[in-house]
Amino acid sequence: MDTFKDIYKKIREIEKSTGRNPHSVELLAVSKKQSSKKIRQLWEYGQKAFGENYLQEALLKMADLHDTDINWHFIGPIQNNKTRKIAENFCWVHTIEKEKTAQRLNDQRPEHLAPLNICIQVNIQDEVTKSGVFPQEIIPLVKAIQNLPRLKLRGLMIIPKSSSSVQSSHIPFRQLNQLLNQVNKELNLSLDTLSMGMSNDYQSAIAEGATIIRLGTALFGTRE
Ligand SMILES: *Cc1c(COP(=O)(O)O)cnc(C)c1O
């Protein structure tokens, strides 16, 4: 658990050195390809939020860990045939890029659960293969999600391409922060979440306003 302790300490130090408020950055432990046993160890240490990319894999772990109070975040691509199980088992989804997906999650969110927290995945760098919506598509999607009562829109998410330097790694994070401000201003909202920063670039993401960083390798070591 030393790694976990170190990372936690490091997050607090970066918050301080970049002028962020203490504890304004939440750690999402990305546990794809990691065992239920490792997840349980981290949970026992105090980590509550875990992120999974693959539904079938996640459901198996949830069964193993049903006695815990883990908050599960879905951070992978979503096919239509997966939305029901996602709506039933997760409390956050970070990777919304289509109104249709949002609509299905809304309709399938069980009544006894709180609204599902949602982030819109944004594609700033215009890569053909990357998922996410282009900046000009954000506002229409935000408006659509606002009409879905079983969803709670929280903010924006990004997976930037790897940067050639620390300096350039700041750019997409800064842009995402600006986009969130624009959306809030234009639609008079107070969306509070920037899901950005992974093992390689979380320092830059925190400096640029991340509220959730998603760490896998830095916490668990390399995936098998
Ligand atoms: C795998 C993954 C992560 C974690 O990546 P690391 O580099 O291992 O920290 C974060 N976010 C998403 C969306 C991922 O798929």
Side-chain angles (χ1 to χ4, degrees):
M1 289 300 98
D2 282 350
T3 335
F4 182 66
K5 229 189 265 179
D6 290 347
I7 296 270
Y8 221 68
K9 215 171 108 197
K10 203 160 168 197
I11 294 169
R12 304 282 87 93
E13 283 168 7
I14 300 166
E15 280 174 341
K16 202 168 172 190
S17 67
T18 58
R20 301 286 310 276
N21 289 330
H23 298 275
S24 54
V25 179
E26 193 192 331
L27 171 60
L28 178 64
V30 175
S31 45
K32 62 175 173 225
K33 309 255 172 82
Q34 305 294 346
S35 67
S36 302
K37 191 175 160 213
K38 277 193 176 173
I39 297 174
R40 185 179 291 279
Q41 281 174 349
L42 215 51
W43 171 75
E44 281 170 350
Y45 189 86
Q47 178 66 24
K48 290 262 196 292
F50 287 83
E52 289 281 342
N53 296 58
Y54 310 105
L55 179 63
Q56 297 312 322
E57 181 190 334
L59 292 174
L60 292 173
K61 294 177 192 173
M62 285 173 182
D64 289 342
L65 296 158
H66 65 90
D67 59 317
T68 68
D69 62 350
I70 287 175
N71 293 325
W72 296 99
H73 293 225
F74 195 80
I75 60 170
I78 306 173
Q79 293 100 31
N80 281 337
N81 64 352
K82 303 277 163 61
T83 52
R84 181 174 300 280
K85 289 287 179 197
I86 292 172
E88 288 171 354
N89 290 285
F90 287 81
C91 61
W92 280 74
V93 175
H94 292 234
T95 40
I96 292 297
E97 44 183 330
K98 289 192 196 107
E99 186 180 340
K100 174 91 184 287
T101 314
Q103 181 74 55
R104 289 177 65 94
L105 290 170
N106 178 76
D107 298 348
Q108 294 166 342
R109 182 68 169 171
E111 279 302 321
H112 69 278
L113 297 178
L116 185 59
N117 295 291
I118 296 290
C119 290
I120 294 174
Q121 185 174 352
V122 179
N123 179 355
I124 290 176
Q125 290 159 317
D126 211 352
E127 285 171 281
V128 204
T129 52
K130 273 278 166 66
S131 22
V133 305
F134 294 123
Q136 68 272 20
E137 300 169 318
I138 297 173
I139 297 259
L141 188 51
V142 167
K143 285 183 177 164
I145 296 172
Q146 290 279 289
N147 288 325
L148 300 171
R150 303 298 296 139
L151 304 185
K152 184 176 164 120
L153 184 64
R154 299 298 299 270
L156 305 177
M157 178 270 205
I158 192 172
I159 310 173
K161 64 178 174 193
S162 57
S163 299
S164 50
S165 70
V166 173
Q167 228 171 358
S168 63
S169 72
H170 283 252
I171 296 169
F173 298 140
R174 191 172 306 156
Q175 288 172 329
L176 198 72
N177 194 338
Q178 286 164 355
L179 284 168
L180 188 73
N181 286 333
Q182 279 170 23
V183 171
N184 278 334
K185 220 179 215 168
E186 194 164 330
L187 300 178
N188 197 19
L189 299 173
S190 44
L191 305 178
D192 58 10
T193 301
L194 285 168
S195 168
M196 59 189 196
M198 304 174 26
S199 296
N200 283 335
D201 53 17
Y202 69 95
Q203 282 100 334
S204 314
I206 293 174
E208 298 298 340
T211 63
I212 301 182
I213 56 172
R214 309 179 309 266
L215 304 188
T217 315
L219 274 179
F220 292 103
T222 48
R223 290 178 280 274
E224 288 114 53

